[in-house]
Amino acid sequence: MNRLMAILFIVFSIQAFAQEQVEGGVKVGEKAPELSVVDAQGKPQTLASLTGEQGLVVVFFRSADWCPFCKRHLIEIKDWVKPLGEKGFNVVGVSYDSPATLAAFSKAKDINFALLADQNVATIKAYNIVNSSYKPGDDNYGIPYPGAVIIDKDGVVRYSYFYEGYKKRVQWQTIEPALNALTAK
């Protein structure tokens, strides 16, 4: 009986892990869609204006206003800025929040990277990660599935991973190997 339980646990664990990734999102090897965002001061930003010498890491999050998992993750990402910079990458965060909300959160938590507002949901749609739990007209329509993409200096997606659930987030140890592979060339 214990062996059967162990086998069932493994099967269900594999299925659960496989189901945590969202189908969709931008594909590795494709040209990254342009960003249709403004920064916390309301200034329009583009891939070109945000990309570092080697590329850009774009982290999509639900909200810096009401999502505690997002808030904690954004604070953790502050620690990514230095090692990313050493590799020639910038990092930004994108949500459907207003510029004022992002500015207030950035100031309160001393965020050291750009938080970008996609209030028309154009970028989130272009990256094919609009959370399907909410429909147009819902208060939370336009939130993205949480995840990240790594875009190289030529604008090509080199890493793309999005979570269906709201609690999981891309961690440094998950993206570091992809960054190392890009900078080893």
Side-chain angles (χ1 to χ4, degrees):
M1 186 63 142
N2 285 341
R3 184 172 182 199
L4 177 61
M5 295 298 282
I7 291 170
L8 287 174
F9 176 77
I10 291 169
V11 169
F12 287 121
S13 295
I14 290 170
Q15 287 176 340
F17 181 75
Q19 292 174 353
E20 77 180 5
Q21 184 174 8
V22 172
E23 290 296 323
V26 291
K27 305 291 185 230
V28 172
E30 291 181 353
K31 195 78 166 166
E34 184 54 72
L35 300 176
S36 299
V37 295
V38 296
D39 62 23
Q41 290 71 45
K43 180 181 175 192
Q45 297 293 327
T46 65
L47 281 175
S49 68
L50 297 165
T51 299
E53 185 178 304
Q54 294 298 319
L56 179 66
V57 176
V58 183
V59 177
F60 289 87
F61 63 99
R62 294 162 60 98
S63 177
D65 183 34
W66 53 264
C67 176
F69 299 97
C70 300
K71 292 176 183 184
R72 184 178 69 232
H73 192 228
L74 293 170
I75 293 166
E76 290 171 2
I77 292 171
K78 291 189 325 183
D79 294 336
W80 298 9
V81 172
K82 183 177 180 189
L84 281 169
E86 290 170 354
K87 293 177 184 299
F89 286 84
N90 290 336
V91 61
V92 299
V94 174
S95 79
Y96 81 146
D97 287 324
S98 70
T101 295
L102 297 176
F105 181 79
S106 290
K107 183 177 180 184
K109 300 301 180 185
D110 196 29
I111 300 298
N112 56 353
F113 58 95
L115 296 183
L116 306 169
D118 181 21
Q119 290 193 286
N120 295 323
V121 194
T123 296
I124 295 167
K125 285 179 182 176
Y127 279 74
N128 195 25
I129 53 166
V130 176
N131 188 310
S132 60
S133 298
Y134 305 98
K135 303 298 177 211
D138 290 347
D139 287 344
N140 293 327
Y141 174 73
I143 64 171
Y145 289 107
V149 294
I150 298 174
I151 303 167
D152 71 16
K153 63 184 175 188
D154 298 318
V156 177
V157 175
R158 297 299 176 188
Y159 173 93
S160 177
Y161 199 97
F162 294 91
Y163 293 95
E164 188 167 346
Y166 62 91
K167 293 181 180 180
K168 289 204 164 237
R169 298 290 186 270
V170 172
Q171 300 299 310
W172 174 253
Q173 61 270 25
T174 308
I175 66 165
E176 186 179 28
L179 293 164
N180 290 340
L182 283 171
T183 55
K185 293 180 180 180

